[in-house]
Amino acid sequence: MTIKEMLKVELRDLVLLGIIVAMKIILSRFTVGTTIVHVSLGFIGSVMLGYLFGPVWGSIGGGISDLVSSALFGNQGGFFLGFTLSAMIGPFIYGLVFYQKPVKVWRIILATLLVTFVVNIGLNTLWVHLLYGMDFRVVLIQRIPKEAITPWLEMIISYFVLNAISRVRIKR
Amino acid sequence: MSKILIGRYVAGDSIVYRMDPRGKLLATILFILFVFLANNPISYLIVTIFSLAAVAATKLKPKIFWDGVKPLIWLILFTSFLQLFFTVGGTVYWRWTIFALSSYGFTNAIFIFIRFTVIILISTVMTVTTKPLEIADAIEWLLKPLKLIRIPVDKIALVMSIALRFVPTLFDETFKIMNAQRSRGADFNNGGLVTRAKAITPLLVPLFINSLETAIDLSTAMESRGYRGDKGRTKFRVLKWSNVDFINLFYFVLLLGLLLVFRTH
């Protein structure tokens, strides 16, 4: 498939993309977990974007979700295009792994680990380092404890969510 | 209505409110980039003065800005504190393996504290004085150059306005579904991790089915109203530049000039 074909969409899918983006924004306002560990549900939005729309439109949707949520709620920690890029790469990776493929445990583990390493640990650390001029090690020390726990929780949730959503798609 | 407040816009009337959202958004992005230039006490002082001036120009109560900083204050302090121990240089007062307290560490920690606060303040000025819809229009305008590399900006703009419009609706929908499931015994806040992860499906699936139905309905409605793609359409909401925006521009040229002069090269 060429890029041009990938960018072609029907109005219905475009509207659905808008609504899923809205859903991602809402989900990122919710957290799940105990008092010690809690995970924002925004990643479910990324998983859905990647699974339903593929890497190209999924990443566009991810970028839009970051822009719209900054317009609505303001960006904690400032407007910075690096974080928009991070928001795009998450659904991109999920799209590469999940789009038009059967839901498998290894795919979920692979995608979640990739997103954790590339986006959460890699890029976001880089943005914080650039934006606030902090030492790289300092940013990592803050991040590592959380990123050591959340991926496993995200995998479990992704598994249930993807199974549920694929059932909805089959029904149609 | 939903419990969580949507939009941080606070009504007011000052020069900042009369500025074009495009100018404000550009100014915010540029300001954050300009902060990168600051690298010595004088340049950090200049950045602080400029951001405080922007805050003062909004004529809003300080509490609104404090609310912007508050959720992050511990992170900011903790980060500055960590930075204190990781920077070595100048006079060293105390040292233990990789940790050290030095004069460079102190200035560095203060710089990072200022950087954090200033970036949050400026972003707060932006979101508090501009309506979400205006920010979205400004983002759409800023994305326009991407047309040159054949990115479907009009489609992106459509998706953006649909998302913006449906956030409040879906918010209410989410709470309704949660309450409906709760009334039949669903528990979203108890149990082990796997139980909690499972508890999300009875929330997500109805939400997703609703979204699918809304998308079908809305696209049918749009097509019956004559929507045939984004080309060859006019705009109802138009943004206009005014004299106030020149003040905004001048302010940022001045900031850039001062920073370039006073930073250590």
Side-chain angles (χ1 to χ4, degrees), chain A residues 25 60-75 79 81 84 87, chain B residues 25 135-136 139-140 143 156 160 164:
Chain A
I25 295 167
I60 290 177
I64 296 173
S65 79
D66 182 71
L67 295 176
V68 172
S69 82
S70 352
L72 277 172
F73 303 105
N75 239 336
F79 276 105
L81 289 181
T84 313
Chain B
L25 185 63
I135 300 180
I139 293 171
E140 187 192 335
L143 289 177
I156 292 177
M160 210 157 70
L164 203 59

mmCIF file with all atom_site columns, all heavy atoms in Angstrom, chain A residues 25 60-75 79 81 84 87, chain B residues 25 135-136 139-140 143 156 160 164:
data_model
loop_
_atom_site.group_PDB
_atom_site.id
_atom_site.type_symbol
_atom_site.label_atom_id
_atom_site.label_alt_id
_atom_site.label_comp_id
_atom_site.label_asym_id
_atom_site.label_entity_id
_atom_site.label_seq_id
_atom_site.pdbx_PDB_ins_code
_atom_site.Cartn_x
_atom_site.Cartn_y
_atom_site.Cartn_z
_atom_site.occupancy
_atom_site.B_iso_or_equiv
_atom_site.pdbx_formal_charge
_atom_site.auth_seq_id
_atom_site.auth_comp_id
_atom_site.auth_asym_id
_atom_site.auth_atom_id
_atom_site.pdbx_PDB_model_num
ATOM 1   N N   . ILE A 1 25  ? -9.091  11.042 25.063 1.00 0.00 ? 25  ILE A N   1
ATOM 2   C CA  . ILE A 1 25  ? -8.898  12.189 25.945 1.00 0.00 ? 25  ILE A CA  1
ATOM 3   C C   . ILE A 1 25  ? -9.604  11.969 27.278 1.00 0.00 ? 25  ILE A C   1
ATOM 4   O O   . ILE A 1 25  ? -9.048  12.236 28.346 1.00 0.00 ? 25  ILE A O   1
ATOM 5   C CB  . ILE A 1 25  ? -9.396  13.482 25.261 1.00 0.00 ? 25  ILE A CB  1
ATOM 6   C CG1 . ILE A 1 25  ? -8.530  13.776 24.041 1.00 0.00 ? 25  ILE A CG1 1
ATOM 7   C CG2 . ILE A 1 25  ? -9.394  14.650 26.230 1.00 0.00 ? 25  ILE A CG2 1
ATOM 8   C CD1 . ILE A 1 25  ? -9.084  14.816 23.139 1.00 0.00 ? 25  ILE A CD1 1
ATOM 9   N N   . ILE A 1 60  ? -1.968  9.879  13.462 1.00 0.00 ? 60  ILE A N   1
ATOM 10  C CA  . ILE A 1 60  ? -2.598  11.192 13.281 1.00 0.00 ? 60  ILE A CA  1
ATOM 11  C C   . ILE A 1 60  ? -3.581  11.435 14.425 1.00 0.00 ? 60  ILE A C   1
ATOM 12  O O   . ILE A 1 60  ? -3.591  12.504 15.039 1.00 0.00 ? 60  ILE A O   1
ATOM 13  C CB  . ILE A 1 60  ? -3.311  11.271 11.910 1.00 0.00 ? 60  ILE A CB  1
ATOM 14  C CG1 . ILE A 1 60  ? -2.270  11.295 10.781 1.00 0.00 ? 60  ILE A CG1 1
ATOM 15  C CG2 . ILE A 1 60  ? -4.193  12.512 11.830 1.00 0.00 ? 60  ILE A CG2 1
ATOM 16  C CD1 . ILE A 1 60  ? -2.854  11.299 9.388  1.00 0.00 ? 60  ILE A CD1 1
ATOM 17  N N   . GLY A 1 61  ? -4.398  10.396 14.734 1.00 0.00 ? 61  GLY A N   1
ATOM 18  C CA  . GLY A 1 61  ? -5.345  10.520 15.837 1.00 0.00 ? 61  GLY A CA  1
ATOM 19  C C   . GLY A 1 61  ? -4.640  10.791 17.161 1.00 0.00 ? 61  GLY A C   1
ATOM 20  O O   . GLY A 1 61  ? -5.097  11.599 17.961 1.00 0.00 ? 61  GLY A O   1
ATOM 21  N N   . GLY A 1 62  ? -3.507  10.104 17.388 1.00 0.00 ? 62  GLY A N   1
ATOM 22  C CA  . GLY A 1 62  ? -2.750  10.335 18.619 1.00 0.00 ? 62  GLY A CA  1
ATOM 23  C C   . GLY A 1 62  ? -2.285  11.781 18.724 1.00 0.00 ? 62  GLY A C   1
ATOM 24  O O   . GLY A 1 62  ? -2.403  12.404 19.779 1.00 0.00 ? 62  GLY A O   1
ATOM 25  N N   . GLY A 1 63  ? -1.767  12.301 17.600 1.00 0.00 ? 63  GLY A N   1
ATOM 26  C CA  . GLY A 1 63  ? -1.315  13.704 17.595 1.00 0.00 ? 63  GLY A CA  1
ATOM 27  C C   . GLY A 1 63  ? -2.469  14.640 17.892 1.00 0.00 ? 63  GLY A C   1
ATOM 28  O O   . GLY A 1 63  ? -2.364  15.540 18.733 1.00 0.00 ? 63  GLY A O   1
ATOM 29  N N   . ILE A 1 64  ? -3.626  14.401 17.240 1.00 0.00 ? 64  ILE A N   1
ATOM 30  C CA  . ILE A 1 64  ? -4.789  15.260 17.463 1.00 0.00 ? 64  ILE A CA  1
ATOM 31  C C   . ILE A 1 64  ? -5.230  15.184 18.917 1.00 0.00 ? 64  ILE A C   1
ATOM 32  O O   . ILE A 1 64  ? -5.567  16.199 19.525 1.00 0.00 ? 64  ILE A O   1
ATOM 33  C CB  . ILE A 1 64  ? -5.946  14.863 16.520 1.00 0.00 ? 64  ILE A CB  1
ATOM 34  C CG1 . ILE A 1 64  ? -5.537  15.099 15.068 1.00 0.00 ? 64  ILE A CG1 1
ATOM 35  C CG2 . ILE A 1 64  ? -7.197  15.656 16.830 1.00 0.00 ? 64  ILE A CG2 1
ATOM 36  C CD1 . ILE A 1 64  ? -6.535  14.585 14.056 1.00 0.00 ? 64  ILE A CD1 1
ATOM 37  N N   . SER A 1 65  ? -5.201  13.974 19.490 1.00 0.00 ? 65  SER A N   1
ATOM 38  C CA  . SER A 1 65  ? -5.656  13.848 20.883 1.00 0.00 ? 65  SER A CA  1
ATOM 39  C C   . SER A 1 65  ? -4.792  14.697 21.807 1.00 0.00 ? 65  SER A C   1
ATOM 40  O O   . SER A 1 65  ? -5.302  15.333 22.733 1.00 0.00 ? 65  SER A O   1
ATOM 41  C CB  . SER A 1 65  ? -5.623  12.391 21.325 1.00 0.00 ? 65  SER A CB  1
ATOM 42  O OG  . SER A 1 65  ? -4.313  12.013 21.657 1.00 0.00 ? 65  SER A OG  1
ATOM 43  N N   . ASP A 1 66  ? -3.487  14.749 21.531 1.00 0.00 ? 66  ASP A N   1
ATOM 44  C CA  . ASP A 1 66  ? -2.626  15.574 22.375 1.00 0.00 ? 66  ASP A CA  1
ATOM 45  C C   . ASP A 1 66  ? -2.970  17.051 22.205 1.00 0.00 ? 66  ASP A C   1
ATOM 46  O O   . ASP A 1 66  ? -3.096  17.788 23.185 1.00 0.00 ? 66  ASP A O   1
ATOM 47  C CB  . ASP A 1 66  ? -1.162  15.333 22.009 1.00 0.00 ? 66  ASP A CB  1
ATOM 48  C CG  . ASP A 1 66  ? -0.215  16.133 22.874 1.00 0.00 ? 66  ASP A CG  1
ATOM 49  O OD1 . ASP A 1 66  ? -0.093  15.787 24.054 1.00 0.00 ? 66  ASP A OD1 1
ATOM 50  O OD2 . ASP A 1 66  ? 0.365   17.111 22.376 1.00 0.00 ? 66  ASP A OD2 1
ATOM 51  N N   . LEU A 1 67  ? -3.169  17.478 20.934 1.00 0.00 ? 67  LEU A N   1
ATOM 52  C CA  . LEU A 1 67  ? -3.469  18.886 20.682 1.00 0.00 ? 67  LEU A CA  1
ATOM 53  C C   . LEU A 1 67  ? -4.803  19.274 21.304 1.00 0.00 ? 67  LEU A C   1
ATOM 54  O O   . LEU A 1 67  ? -4.911  20.314 21.971 1.00 0.00 ? 67  LEU A O   1
ATOM 55  C CB  . LEU A 1 67  ? -3.501  19.152 19.174 1.00 0.00 ? 67  LEU A CB  1
ATOM 56  C CG  . LEU A 1 67  ? -2.168  18.965 18.445 1.00 0.00 ? 67  LEU A CG  1
ATOM 57  C CD1 . LEU A 1 67  ? -2.344  19.149 16.952 1.00 0.00 ? 67  LEU A CD1 1
ATOM 58  C CD2 . LEU A 1 67  ? -1.133  19.955 18.970 1.00 0.00 ? 67  LEU A CD2 1
ATOM 59  N N   . VAL A 1 68  ? -5.831  18.427 21.092 1.00 0.00 ? 68  VAL A N   1
ATOM 60  C CA  . VAL A 1 68  ? -7.159  18.769 21.608 1.00 0.00 ? 68  VAL A CA  1
ATOM 61  C C   . VAL A 1 68  ? -7.163  18.765 23.131 1.00 0.00 ? 68  VAL A C   1
ATOM 62  O O   . VAL A 1 68  ? -7.748  19.655 23.761 1.00 0.00 ? 68  VAL A O   1
ATOM 63  C CB  . VAL A 1 68  ? -8.235  17.813 21.053 1.00 0.00 ? 68  VAL A CB  1
ATOM 64  C CG1 . VAL A 1 68  ? -9.567  18.034 21.730 1.00 0.00 ? 68  VAL A CG1 1
ATOM 65  C CG2 . VAL A 1 68  ? -8.393  18.013 19.566 1.00 0.00 ? 68  VAL A CG2 1
ATOM 66  N N   . SER A 1 69  ? -6.475  17.782 23.735 1.00 0.00 ? 69  SER A N   1
ATOM 67  C CA  . SER A 1 69  ? -6.508  17.780 25.203 1.00 0.00 ? 69  SER A CA  1
ATOM 68  C C   . SER A 1 69  ? -5.716  18.952 25.764 1.00 0.00 ? 69  SER A C   1
ATOM 69  O O   . SER A 1 69  ? -6.065  19.482 26.816 1.00 0.00 ? 69  SER A O   1
ATOM 70  C CB  . SER A 1 69  ? -6.024  16.452 25.778 1.00 0.00 ? 69  SER A CB  1
ATOM 71  O OG  . SER A 1 69  ? -4.633  16.408 25.834 1.00 0.00 ? 69  SER A OG  1
ATOM 72  N N   . SER A 1 70  ? -4.698  19.426 25.049 1.00 0.00 ? 70  SER A N   1
ATOM 73  C CA  . SER A 1 70  ? -4.053  20.649 25.550 1.00 0.00 ? 70  SER A CA  1
ATOM 74  C C   . SER A 1 70  ? -4.970  21.843 25.384 1.00 0.00 ? 70  SER A C   1
ATOM 75  O O   . SER A 1 70  ? -4.949  22.756 26.200 1.00 0.00 ? 70  SER A O   1
ATOM 76  C CB  . SER A 1 70  ? -2.725  20.969 24.887 1.00 0.00 ? 70  SER A CB  1
ATOM 77  O OG  . SER A 1 70  ? -2.273  19.990 24.059 1.00 0.00 ? 70  SER A OG  1
ATOM 78  N N   . ALA A 1 71  ? -5.769  21.846 24.299 1.00 0.00 ? 71  ALA A N   1
ATOM 79  C CA  . ALA A 1 71  ? -6.696  22.965 24.122 1.00 0.00 ? 71  ALA A CA  1
ATOM 80  C C   . ALA A 1 71  ? -7.753  22.959 25.210 1.00 0.00 ? 71  ALA A C   1
ATOM 81  O O   . ALA A 1 71  ? -8.151  24.001 25.708 1.00 0.00 ? 71  ALA A O   1
ATOM 82  C CB  . ALA A 1 71  ? -7.353  22.892 22.749 1.00 0.00 ? 71  ALA A CB  1
ATOM 83  N N   . LEU A 1 72  ? -8.199  21.757 25.606 1.00 0.00 ? 72  LEU A N   1
ATOM 84  C CA  . LEU A 1 72  ? -9.280  21.665 26.586 1.00 0.00 ? 72  LEU A CA  1
ATOM 85  C C   . LEU A 1 72  ? -8.779  21.792 28.024 1.00 0.00 ? 72  LEU A C   1
ATOM 86  O O   . LEU A 1 72  ? -9.358  22.505 28.831 1.00 0.00 ? 72  LEU A O   1
ATOM 87  C CB  . LEU A 1 72  ? -9.994  20.320 26.448 1.00 0.00 ? 72  LEU A CB  1
ATOM 88  C CG  . LEU A 1 72  ? -11.064 20.224 25.377 1.00 0.00 ? 72  LEU A CG  1
ATOM 89  C CD1 . LEU A 1 72  ? -11.526 18.800 25.251 1.00 0.00 ? 72  LEU A CD1 1
ATOM 90  C CD2 . LEU A 1 72  ? -12.228 21.132 25.715 1.00 0.00 ? 72  LEU A CD2 1
ATOM 91  N N   . PHE A 1 73  ? -7.706  21.068 28.327 1.00 0.00 ? 73  PHE A N   1
ATOM 92  C CA  . PHE A 1 73  ? -7.292  20.995 29.728 1.00 0.00 ? 73  PHE A CA  1
ATOM 93  C C   . PHE A 1 73  ? -5.980  21.693 29.989 1.00 0.00 ? 73  PHE A C   1
ATOM 94  O O   . PHE A 1 73  ? -5.536  21.802 31.127 1.00 0.00 ? 73  PHE A O   1
ATOM 95  C CB  . PHE A 1 73  ? -7.175  19.539 30.173 1.00 0.00 ? 73  PHE A CB  1
ATOM 96  C CG  . PHE A 1 73  ? -8.435  18.760 29.982 1.00 0.00 ? 73  PHE A CG  1
ATOM 97  C CD1 . PHE A 1 73  ? -8.556  17.843 28.964 1.00 0.00 ? 73  PHE A CD1 1
ATOM 98  C CD2 . PHE A 1 73  ? -9.526  18.979 30.809 1.00 0.00 ? 73  PHE A CD2 1
ATOM 99  C CE1 . PHE A 1 73  ? -9.730  17.142 28.786 1.00 0.00 ? 73  PHE A CE1 1
ATOM 100 C CE2 . PHE A 1 73  ? -10.693 18.274 30.631 1.00 0.00 ? 73  PHE A CE2 1
ATOM 101 C CZ  . PHE A 1 73  ? -10.805 17.357 29.618 1.00 0.00 ? 73  PHE A CZ  1
ATOM 102 N N   . GLY A 1 74  ? -5.299  22.127 28.931 1.00 0.00 ? 74  GLY A N   1
ATOM 103 C CA  . GLY A 1 74  ? -3.974  22.683 29.106 1.00 0.00 ? 74  GLY A CA  1
ATOM 104 C C   . GLY A 1 74  ? -2.990  21.551 29.278 1.00 0.00 ? 74  GLY A C   1
ATOM 105 O O   . GLY A 1 74  ? -3.344  20.482 29.753 1.00 0.00 ? 74  GLY A O   1
ATOM 106 N N   . ASN A 1 75  ? -1.770  21.767 28.852 1.00 0.00 ? 75  ASN A N   1
ATOM 107 C CA  . ASN A 1 75  ? -0.777  20.711 28.960 1.00 0.00 ? 75  ASN A CA  1
ATOM 108 C C   . ASN A 1 75  ? -0.060  20.864 30.278 1.00 0.00 ? 75  ASN A C   1
ATOM 109 O O   . ASN A 1 75  ? 0.537   21.898 30.526 1.00 0.00 ? 75  ASN A O   1
ATOM 110 C CB  . ASN A 1 75  ? 0.230   20.849 27.822 1.00 0.00 ? 75  ASN A CB  1
ATOM 111 C CG  . ASN A 1 75  ? 0.283   19.633 26.972 1.00 0.00 ? 75  ASN A CG  1
ATOM 112 O OD1 . ASN A 1 75  ? -0.067  18.549 27.427 1.00 0.00 ? 75  ASN A OD1 1
ATOM 113 N ND2 . ASN A 1 75  ? 0.721   19.784 25.757 1.00 0.00 ? 75  ASN A ND2 1
ATOM 114 N N   . PHE A 1 79  ? 3.178   23.565 26.601 1.00 0.00 ? 79  PHE A N   1
ATOM 115 C CA  . PHE A 1 79  ? 3.030   23.175 25.211 1.00 0.00 ? 79  PHE A CA  1
ATOM 116 C C   . PHE A 1 79  ? 4.396   22.818 24.663 1.00 0.00 ? 79  PHE A C   1
ATOM 117 O O   . PHE A 1 79  ? 5.284   23.655 24.605 1.00 0.00 ? 79  PHE A O   1
ATOM 118 C CB  . PHE A 1 79  ? 2.492   24.342 24.382 1.00 0.00 ? 79  PHE A CB  1
ATOM 119 C CG  . PHE A 1 79  ? 1.018   24.481 24.428 1.00 0.00 ? 79  PHE A CG  1
ATOM 120 C CD1 . PHE A 1 79  ? 0.432   25.474 25.175 1.00 0.00 ? 79  PHE A CD1 1
ATOM 121 C CD2 . PHE A 1 79  ? 0.217   23.619 23.713 1.00 0.00 ? 79  PHE A CD2 1
ATOM 122 C CE1 . PHE A 1 79  ? -0.941  25.606 25.216 1.00 0.00 ? 79  PHE A CE1 1
ATOM 123 C CE2 . PHE A 1 79  ? -1.149  23.746 23.745 1.00 0.00 ? 79  PHE A CE2 1
ATOM 124 C CZ  . PHE A 1 79  ? -1.724  24.737 24.499 1.00 0.00 ? 79  PHE A CZ  1
ATOM 125 N N   . LEU A 1 81  ? 6.057   20.425 21.380 1.00 0.00 ? 81  LEU A N   1
ATOM 126 C CA  . LEU A 1 81  ? 5.706   19.526 20.282 1.00 0.00 ? 81  LEU A CA  1
ATOM 127 C C   . LEU A 1 81  ? 6.304   18.136 20.461 1.00 0.00 ? 81  LEU A C   1
ATOM 128 O O   . LEU A 1 81  ? 5.824   17.178 19.870 1.00 0.00 ? 81  LEU A O   1
ATOM 129 C CB  . LEU A 1 81  ? 6.140   20.136 18.953 1.00 0.00 ? 81  LEU A CB  1
ATOM 130 C CG  . LEU A 1 81  ? 5.291   21.343 18.558 1.00 0.00 ? 81  LEU A CG  1
ATOM 131 C CD1 . LEU A 1 81  ? 5.731   21.905 17.223 1.00 0.00 ? 81  LEU A CD1 1
ATOM 132 C CD2 . LEU A 1 81  ? 3.813   20.964 18.479 1.00 0.00 ? 81  LEU A CD2 1
ATOM 133 N N   . THR A 1 84  ? 3.709   15.903 21.657 1.00 0.00 ? 84  THR A N   1
ATOM 134 C CA  . THR A 1 84  ? 2.770   15.567 20.588 1.00 0.00 ? 84  THR A CA  1
ATOM 135 C C   . THR A 1 84  ? 3.342   14.415 19.765 1.00 0.00 ? 84  THR A C   1
ATOM 136 O O   . THR A 1 84  ? 2.638   13.468 19.412 1.00 0.00 ? 84  THR A O   1
ATOM 137 C CB  . THR A 1 84  ? 2.527   16.788 19.692 1.00 0.00 ? 84  THR A CB  1
ATOM 138 O OG1 . THR A 1 84  ? 2.280   17.916 20.505 1.00 0.00 ? 84  THR A OG1 1
ATOM 139 C CG2 . THR A 1 84  ? 1.353   16.565 18.772 1.00 0.00 ? 84  THR A CG2 1
ATOM 140 N N   . ALA A 1 87  ? 2.877   11.272 21.574 1.00 0.00 ? 87  ALA A N   1
ATOM 141 C CA  . ALA A 1 87  ? 1.485   10.834 21.488 1.00 0.00 ? 87  ALA A CA  1
ATOM 142 C C   . ALA A 1 87  ? 1.199   10.204 20.137 1.00 0.00 ? 87  ALA A C   1
ATOM 143 O O   . ALA A 1 87  ? 0.275   9.406  20.000 1.00 0.00 ? 87  ALA A O   1
ATOM 144 C CB  . ALA A 1 87  ? 0.540   12.008 21.727 1.00 0.00 ? 87  ALA A CB  1
ATOM 145 N N   . LEU B 2 25  ? -0.844  31.369 20.586 1.00 0.00 ? 25  LEU B N   1
ATOM 146 C CA  . LEU B 2 25  ? -0.316  30.008 20.523 1.00 0.00 ? 25  LEU B CA  1
ATOM 147 C C   . LEU B 2 25  ? 1.137   30.020 20.037 1.00 0.00 ? 25  LEU B C   1
ATOM 148 O O   . LEU B 2 25  ? 2.018   29.389 20.628 1.00 0.00 ? 25  LEU B O   1
ATOM 149 C CB  . LEU B 2 25  ? -1.178  29.148 19.599 1.00 0.00 ? 25  LEU B CB  1
ATOM 150 C CG  . LEU B 2 25  ? -0.800  27.677 19.541 1.00 0.00 ? 25  LEU B CG  1
ATOM 151 C CD1 . LEU B 2 25  ? -0.966  27.026 20.896 1.00 0.00 ? 25  LEU B CD1 1
ATOM 152 C CD2 . LEU B 2 25  ? -1.634  26.933 18.515 1.00 0.00 ? 25  LEU B CD2 1
ATOM 153 N N   . ILE B 2 135 ? -8.457  27.920 20.445 1.00 0.00 ? 135 ILE B N   1
ATOM 154 C CA  . ILE B 2 135 ? -7.157  27.246 20.403 1.00 0.00 ? 135 ILE B CA  1
ATOM 155 C C   . ILE B 2 135 ? -7.148  26.245 19.248 1.00 0.00 ? 135 ILE B C   1
ATOM 156 O O   . ILE B 2 135 ? -6.179  26.154 18.494 1.00 0.00 ? 135 ILE B O   1
ATOM 157 C CB  . ILE B 2 135 ? -6.854  26.524 21.740 1.00 0.00 ? 135 ILE B CB  1
ATOM 158 C CG1 . ILE B 2 135 ? -6.824  27.534 22.886 1.00 0.00 ? 135 ILE B CG1 1
ATOM 159 C CG2 . ILE B 2 135 ? -5.517  25.808 21.671 1.00 0.00 ? 135 ILE B CG2 1
ATOM 160 C CD1 . ILE B 2 135 ? -6.524  26.923 24.237 1.00 0.00 ? 135 ILE B CD1 1
ATOM 161 N N   . ALA B 2 136 ? -8.270  25.510 19.083 1.00 0.00 ? 136 ALA B N   1
ATOM 162 C CA  . ALA B 2 136 ? -8.343  24.532 17.999 1.00 0.00 ? 136 ALA B CA  1
ATOM 163 C C   . ALA B 2 136 ? -8.212  25.214 16.642 1.00 0.00 ? 136 ALA B C   1
ATOM 164 O O   . ALA B 2 136 ? -7.502  24.731 15.750 1.00 0.00 ? 136 ALA B O   1
ATOM 165 C CB  . ALA B 2 136 ? -9.649  23.754 18.079 1.00 0.00 ? 136 ALA B CB  1
ATOM 166 N N   . ILE B 2 139 ? -4.631  26.052 16.171 1.00 0.00 ? 139 ILE B N   1
ATOM 167 C CA  . ILE B 2 139 ? -3.823  24.876 15.828 1.00 0.00 ? 139 ILE B CA  1
ATOM 168 C C   . ILE B 2 139 ? -4.019  24.542 14.347 1.00 0.00 ? 139 ILE B C   1
ATOM 169 O O   . ILE B 2 139 ? -3.065  24.273 13.626 1.00 0.00 ? 139 ILE B O   1
ATOM 170 C CB  . ILE B 2 139 ? -4.213  23.669 16.717 1.00 0.00 ? 139 ILE B CB  1
ATOM 171 C CG1 . ILE B 2 139 ? -3.812  23.934 18.176 1.00 0.00 ? 139 ILE B CG1 1
ATOM 172 C CG2 . ILE B 2 139 ? -3.537  22.400 16.229 1.00 0.00 ? 139 ILE B CG2 1
ATOM 173 C CD1 . ILE B 2 139 ? -4.337  22.904 19.148 1.00 0.00 ? 139 ILE B CD1 1
ATOM 174 N N   . GLU B 2 140 ? -5.280  24.627 13.896 1.00 0.00 ? 140 GLU B N   1
ATOM 175 C CA  . GLU B 2 140 ? -5.571  24.329 12.488 1.00 0.00 ? 140 GLU B CA  1
ATOM 176 C C   . GLU B 2 140 ? -4.771  25.265 11.582 1.00 0.00 ? 140 GLU B C   1
ATOM 177 O O   . GLU B 2 140 ? -4.167  24.842 10.595 1.00 0.00 ? 140 GLU B O   1
ATOM 178 C CB  . GLU B 2 140 ? -7.067  24.497 12.241 1.00 0.00 ? 140 GLU B CB  1
ATOM 179 C CG  . GLU B 2 140 ? -7.493  24.049 10.865 1.00 0.00 ? 140 GLU B CG  1
ATOM 180 C CD  . GLU B 2 140 ? -8.907  24.499 10.536 1.00 0.00 ? 140 GLU B CD  1
ATOM 181 O OE1 . GLU B 2 140 ? -9.710  24.720 11.468 1.00 0.00 ? 140 GLU B OE1 1
ATOM 182 O OE2 . GLU B 2 140 ? -9.198  24.630 9.334  1.00 0.00 ? 140 GLU B OE2 1
ATOM 183 N N   . LEU B 2 143 ? -1.175  24.328 11.422 1.00 0.00 ? 143 LEU B N   1
ATOM 184 C CA  . LEU B 2 143 ? -0.876  23.081 10.704 1.00 0.00 ? 143 LEU B CA  1
ATOM 185 C C   . LEU B 2 143 ? -0.862  23.291 9.197  1.00 0.00 ? 143 LEU B C   1
ATOM 186 O O   . LEU B 2 143 ? -0.386  22.447 8.451  1.00 0.00 ? 143 LEU B O   1
ATOM 187 C CB  . LEU B 2 143 ? -1.912  22.010 11.057 1.00 0.00 ? 143 LEU B CB  1
ATOM 188 C CG  . LEU B 2 143 ? -1.862  21.423 12.460 1.00 0.00 ? 143 LEU B CG  1
ATOM 189 C CD1 . LEU B 2 143 ? -2.998  20.432 12.657 1.00 0.00 ? 143 LEU B CD1 1
ATOM 190 C CD2 . LEU B 2 143 ? -0.541  20.722 12.704 1.00 0.00 ? 143 LEU B CD2 1
ATOM 191 N N   . ILE B 2 156 ? -7.697  16.524 9.098  1.00 0.00 ? 156 ILE B N   1
ATOM 192 C CA  . ILE B 2 156 ? -7.242  16.599 10.488 1.00 0.00 ? 156 ILE B CA  1
ATOM 193 C C   . ILE B 2 156 ? -8.065  17.630 11.255 1.00 0.00 ? 156 ILE B C   1
ATOM 194 O O   . ILE B 2 156 ? -8.483  17.398 12.388 1.00 0.00 ? 156 ILE B O   1
ATOM 195 C CB  . ILE B 2 156 ? -5.739  16.939 10.528 1.00 0.00 ? 156 ILE B CB  1
ATOM 196 C CG1 . ILE B 2 156 ? -4.941  15.751 9.983  1.00 0.00 ? 156 ILE B CG1 1
ATOM 197 C CG2 . ILE B 2 156 ? -5.286  17.287 11.939 1.00 0.00 ? 156 ILE B CG2 1
ATOM 198 C CD1 . ILE B 2 156 ? -3.461  15.980 9.903  1.00 0.00 ? 156 ILE B CD1 1
ATOM 199 N N   . MET B 2 160 ? -10.346 17.019 14.456 1.00 0.00 ? 160 MET B N   1
ATOM 200 C CA  . MET B 2 160 ? -10.093 17.808 15.657 1.00 0.00 ? 160 MET B CA  1
ATOM 201 C C   . MET B 2 160 ? -11.378 18.442 16.178 1.00 0.00 ? 160 MET B C   1
ATOM 202 O O   . MET B 2 160 ? -11.668 18.395 17.374 1.00 0.00 ? 160 MET B O   1
ATOM 203 C CB  . MET B 2 160 ? -9.074  18.901 15.330 1.00 0.00 ? 160 MET B CB  1
ATOM 204 C CG  . MET B 2 160 ? -8.215  19.289 16.474 1.00 0.00 ? 160 MET B CG  1
ATOM 205 S SD  . MET B 2 160 ? -6.690  20.030 15.877 1.00 0.00 ? 160 MET B SD  1
ATOM 206 C CE  . MET B 2 160 ? -7.263  21.555 15.231 1.00 0.00 ? 160 MET B CE  1
ATOM 207 N N   . LEU B 2 164 ? -13.206 17.630 19.705 1.00 0.00 ? 164 LEU B N   1
ATOM 208 C CA  . LEU B 2 164 ? -13.449 18.725 20.656 1.00 0.00 ? 164 LEU B CA  1
ATOM 209 C C   . LEU B 2 164 ? -14.923 18.786 21.048 1.00 0.00 ? 164 LEU B C   1
ATOM 210 O O   . LEU B 2 164 ? -15.273 18.960 22.212 1.00 0.00 ? 164 LEU B O   1
ATOM 211 C CB  . LEU B 2 164 ? -13.026 20.036 19.978 1.00 0.00 ? 164 LEU B CB  1
ATOM 212 C CG  . LEU B 2 164 ? -12.670 21.213 20.841 1.00 0.00 ? 164 LEU B CG  1
ATOM 213 C CD1 . LEU B 2 164 ? -11.523 20.853 21.741 1.00 0.00 ? 164 LEU B CD1 1
ATOM 214 C CD2 . LEU B 2 164 ? -12.290 22.388 19.965 1.00 0.00 ? 164 LEU B CD2 1
#
